[in-house]
Amino acid sequence: MATSRTPLHPRGGVRRAPAPGGPADARVLGMPDLPEALAVCYLEPVASVLAASRLEIATRSGFAAAGGQGWGFPATGPLEAVCWAGANLVPVVPDALGAARQSEAAGAFAALARAQGRRSSSIVGEREAALGLWDGLERYWPAPREIRVDQPSMAITRGSDVAPDPALRRSTLAELDMVLPACVRMFTEEVGYSPVAGGGGPYVQRVRSLIADGRSFIRTETTPRGRETVAFKAEVGAVAGTVAQIQGVWVDPLFRGRGWSVTGMSAVVGAVRETIAPVVSLYVNNYNERALATYRRVGFEQVGTFATVLF
C-alpha cells in the first residue's frame, strides 16, 4: 500500500511527484506516431539513443519485435516527450521544454507506469528525466536495489587519440560459447547478479543477435592452461540515427593492466565509425575512475549525465 511520505530525491532535498491525471496525460503510441516520436528523440541523439533504437526497430518490424511500448506526452497534440517502456524504462524529455514542462512530462509517464505496473528491470536515461520519472514511482514501486545518480554520458565524433589494437575483431557465431561467458561475467560484475540465472534465454539470444549483426568486438588470448578466451570485449548495444552506443566493455582479470582497454576501445571506435555510425557514445559510473580515464585517453568527451534506477 502506498505511504503518505514525500519521496526524498537521491541527490538530497525533497522533490514532490506531480499529481497523476490532468490535461497533460501521456498516451500509448501507435505505429502512425513513430515518425513524430523519433523526431523528438533526434533532437538530442546521444541522450535518446536507447529509446530511439527501440522505436526504430518498432518502425521497421512492429512493437512486438521491439519488445515494448512507446509512450508519448502530451496525450493530445504534437509530441513533446517520449518514453520507451520495455525491459528498461527510458524517458526522453528534451531540455528545450523547460523545467516546468519537463516535470509535467515525467509525472505523466510515471502515472502511466503506475497504471500498467512495473514491467521493467531499470529506469535509465538522461539524469533529470530518469530521476524525475522515479520521483513519481518511488511511493508505488518496490524499493530499487541501487540508484546510480551520476553516470557521465560521453561521445566521440572523430578518430581516436591512440593507436588501435590490431588484434581486435568482430566475433563470430561459431564463437558464441566463448563470448557468452565473458558477457555473463561482465554483466554480473556490473549489475550484481547473473543474467542467465534461471535459464537466461533472452540474454543468450541478445548476445547471439549482437554477434550476428556484427556488433560484438573481441580480442582473444590463450590462457596459461592453453585455452583460447576473450581477453577484451565490447558491444554496440544500441544504434539509432547517427549514434552508436557502446556497452559491455570488459577486460578479463587475467589480462588487466596491459593497456588493452585503451587500445581495444580505440579499435572499437574506428570500426564503429567506419561501418555503423559516425558518433560513438557510452555512459559510465562516475566512481569508475579507471574507465573514465580510459575513455578520455581514447578521445571521448562528456556531453551529458545519465542516471539508472536498478530493480
Side-chain angles (χ1 to χ4, degrees), residues 6-60:
T6 300
L8 289 177
H9 195 273
R11 289 169 292 164
V14 174
R15 291 176 60 180
R16 297 186 182 276
D25 288 345
R27 71 179 190 268
V28 176
L29 301 178
M31 294 293 290
D33 298 307
L34 290 177
E36 188 179 6
L38 283 168
V40 171
C41 290
Y42 295 154
L43 294 173
E44 297 179 355
V46 172
S48 68
V49 64
L50 288 170
S53 66
R54 309 315 298 176
L55 292 170
E56 286 189 359
I57 294 172
T59 299
R60 295 191 299 268

Side-chain angles (χ1 to χ4, degrees), residues 237-280:
V239 181
T242 60
V243 180
Q245 186 184 86
I246 306 301
Q247 300 173 1
V249 180
W250 182 79
V251 180
D252 188 312
L254 282 174
F255 303 103
R256 291 176 184 172
R258 305 187 187 192
W260 289 349
S261 60
V262 176
T263 58
M265 281 301 299
S266 176
V268 169
V269 166
V272 171
R273 293 192 69 244
E274 181 178 354
T275 62
I276 299 177
V279 180
V280 183

Side-chain angles (χ1 to χ4, degrees), residues 170-176 179 204-217 235-236 276:
R170 283 177 163 90
S171 63
T172 68
L173 284 174
E175 297 171 312
L176 176 63
V179 175
V204 175
Q205 182 55 42
R206 168 72 169 166
V207 174
R208 186 192 306 274
S209 296
L210 290 173
I211 295 173
D213 291 343
R215 290 163 53 176
S216 165
F217 296 87
E235 292 89 41
V236 179
I276 299 177

